[in-house]
Amino acid sequence: MYMTAVARLIKAKTISFTEEILSHYKKLNLTEQEAIILVFLYRKLDTKNNVLSINDLVDKMTLNEDLISSLVIGLVQKGYIDIHMEDGVESFLLDGVYEAL
């Protein structure tokens, strides 16, 4: 799969994902809440943890579980989060948002 130059630089940690999201979330048609969710998920990936847990986000944010679930579903629909189910565990990738940046 071809990856844009920015996506490669983000994955290589040459440029900051958080900085890119904060600088471009409006152009990506993201709300501040969606941008923060993506930053938290990126940090989770950075620790080699790709298990998608709404409860982890609830613990970090002031939003309730229903709203966070709805926002995550919206991010999946926009193509920014890829979700995969394996052995009953939901894992995620952020390649879609890397590409959009």
Side-chain angles (χ1 to χ4, degrees), residues 16-98:
S16 166
F17 175 80
T18 302
E19 189 65 38
E20 290 298 305
I21 283 291
L22 293 177
S23 297
H24 301 291
Y25 74 89
K26 186 174 177 184
K27 290 178 191 168
L28 296 174
N29 196 29
L30 295 170
T31 66
E32 288 84 359
Q33 293 170 335
E34 290 171 322
I36 294 300
I37 286 172
L38 289 172
V39 168
F40 280 136
L41 292 177
Y42 177 79
R43 286 182 169 179
K44 193 169 176 151
L45 280 179
D46 204 30
T47 64
K48 307 287 187 243
N49 181 354
N50 69 339
V51 175
L52 183 59
S53 168
I54 298 301
N55 287 334
D56 286 351
L57 292 170
V58 169
D59 290 345
K60 290 178 174 52
M61 301 181 75
T62 59
L63 307 175
N64 67 45
E65 184 176 346
D66 290 340
L67 181 53
I68 291 174
S69 293
S70 176
L71 291 168
V72 168
I73 290 167
L75 289 166
V76 170
Q77 291 170 340
K78 289 178 183 180
Y80 293 144
I81 300 174
D82 299 316
I83 294 180
H84 304 279
M85 186 67 99
E86 191 172 319
D87 299 327
V89 176
E90 239 176 19
S91 63
F92 69 95
L93 296 171
L94 297 177
D95 291 356
V97 75
Y98 300 160

